[in-house]
Amino acid sequence: MDIVKRERYVQKIIRLTPTENNYIKNKMDNAGRKNFNAFALEMLIQGQVNIVDFKSLSDLKIAIDRVGKNVNQIAKKVNESGDVSKSDIDETKNLLKEIEKVVYQTIQTEYKKYRN
C-alpha cells in the first residue's frame, strides 16, 4: 500500500463524553460545518469559526436573474421586429442601475458584517 504524503501529518486524538460530543456537533451544525477536522482546526488556530450567511447573495441572484429575463425579452423583440423602442432601452438602463445599487449595498452590508 502506498503511503500518501500529507501536508498535515501530525495527528492529535481527543476523547469526549457523549455530552461533549453532542455539544460539538451542535456547534458544527450552527456554524454550517460538516467536517470535524476542518472545524476543530479553525477553532484551535483562529479561536472562532466565521459563519457566512449567503441570503443576501441569494437576493442579489434574484435581481440579476430578473434583469437577464428582461434583456432576453428585449433581444427577442429586436430579433423579431428589427427595432427596439426608447422605452425598452430606458427600462433596461433602469434595471441595470437597480442591479448596480443592489450589488453595492450587498457588498457594503457583507463587508460591515465581516469587519464586526
Side-chain angles (χ1 to χ4, degrees):
M1 182 167 142
D2 292 332
I3 297 176
V4 178
K5 291 187 178 187
R6 298 179 184 264
E7 181 180 334
R8 295 185 177 107
Y9 53 88
V10 176
Q11 183 178 10
K12 299 287 185 186
I13 299 173
I14 63 169
R15 298 186 192 285
L16 306 169
T17 66
T19 304
E20 292 168 334
N21 189 47
N22 288 334
Y23 179 79
I24 291 171
K25 282 183 180 181
N26 287 334
K27 288 281 196 183
M28 287 175 57
D29 288 342
N30 291 339
R33 303 296 196 273
K34 296 185 187 318
N35 181 308
F36 173 76
N37 190 60
F39 176 79
L41 191 61
E42 191 171 352
M43 284 295 291
L44 290 167
I45 291 175
Q46 296 179 4
Q48 66 182 8
V49 174
N50 295 321
I51 300 170
V52 179
D53 180 16
F54 292 104
K55 170 72 173 103
S56 57
L57 295 179
S58 177
D59 294 343
L60 182 60
K61 182 189 178 304
I62 291 168
I64 291 171
D65 286 347
R66 216 171 0 132
V67 171
K69 288 176 185 173
N70 286 330
V71 169
N72 286 337
Q73 289 173 352
I74 292 169
K76 181 179 178 184
K77 187 174 181 181
V78 168
N79 286 333
E80 289 172 352
S81 66
D83 60 74
V84 64
S85 70
K86 181 170 176 3
S87 67
D88 289 338
I89 292 171
D90 291 341
E91 180 182 354
T92 303
K93 286 181 181 179
N94 289 335
L95 289 169
L96 289 172
K97 285 179 185 176
E98 181 183 338
I99 285 286
E100 182 180 3
K101 183 175 121 182
V102 170
V103 168
Y104 180 77
Q105 288 173 345
T106 301
I107 290 170
Q108 290 298 317
T109 302
E110 292 304 311
Y111 182 71
K112 286 177 185 174
K113 284 182 193 175
Y114 178 75
R115 291 204 51 188
N116 293 333

